[in-house]
Amino acid sequence: MTAAAPTPAALPPHVLERADVRSAIANHDFGEVFRLAEIHGNVSYAKISEAVGYKREHIGKMARQETDGVGARPRITQFHKIIKVVDGLRIPGHLAGLSPRPWELEESAKTTQTDDPSTLITQGGAGIWDIA
């Protein structure tokens, strides 16, 4: 597995813990997510734009909930674009109704304690807990 590239717009944990952010994510209201990320996480629209591959102006329009000429708000509805936003902002998959993202699995593997006696035994490591 290759390491996930860092993202300039990863949402800080305190932002991901907010009820309003979680609600916006669950509803795939990414314009609201972008707005809240800037307010509570100091994540600029420029950073979000770089992370998700949208023009900065489009991110701003979505965050301001501007409508087009017929009153429709721009929304991200295509699956591959939702994935790009979730991965770019490092939103855990379960918050958006998705399976764990590949970068989540990589991070989880990195945090596994190899000096934990139970992992030494199950991994066949040569530790003080090995039983001959």
Side-chain angles (χ1 to χ4, degrees):
M1 221 180 253
T2 61
T7 177
L11 296 183
H14 73 275
V15 174
L16 287 170
E17 292 169 1
R18 294 181 53 87
D20 52 354
V21 172
R22 286 179 174 248
S23 175
I25 292 168
N27 291 312
H28 293 182
D29 186 354
F30 294 109
E32 182 70 357
V33 173
F34 300 156
R35 186 181 77 79
L36 295 170
E38 184 181 47
I39 292 170
H40 301 294
N42 201 29
V43 180
S44 71
Y45 296 158
K47 287 181 180 177
I48 293 170
S49 171
E50 182 181 342
V52 304
Y54 282 109
K55 291 181 180 177
R56 187 201 171 287
E57 296 79 21
H58 190 67
I59 298 294
K61 283 182 181 181
M62 290 179 65
R64 290 187 301 272
Q65 300 182 355
E66 291 181 8
T67 59
D68 61 12
V70 294
R73 284 181 46 213
R75 292 193 54 118
I76 299 171
T77 57
Q78 295 177 347
F79 183 74
H80 71 281
K81 292 182 180 182
I82 291 170
I83 294 295
K84 193 157 184 151
V85 170
V86 167
D87 288 345
L89 300 181
R90 290 299 192 253
I91 296 171
H94 73 277
L95 294 180
L98 304 170
S99 59
R101 308 302 308 135
W103 55 267
E104 287 182 88
L105 300 174
E106 290 172 9
E107 288 175 4
S108 176
K110 287 179 189 175
T111 60
T112 301
Q113 295 293 325
T114 56
D115 57 351
D116 176 6
S118 65
T119 60
L120 287 174
I121 292 170
T122 59
Q123 295 174 359
I128 61 170
W129 298 98
D130 284 350
I131 300 173

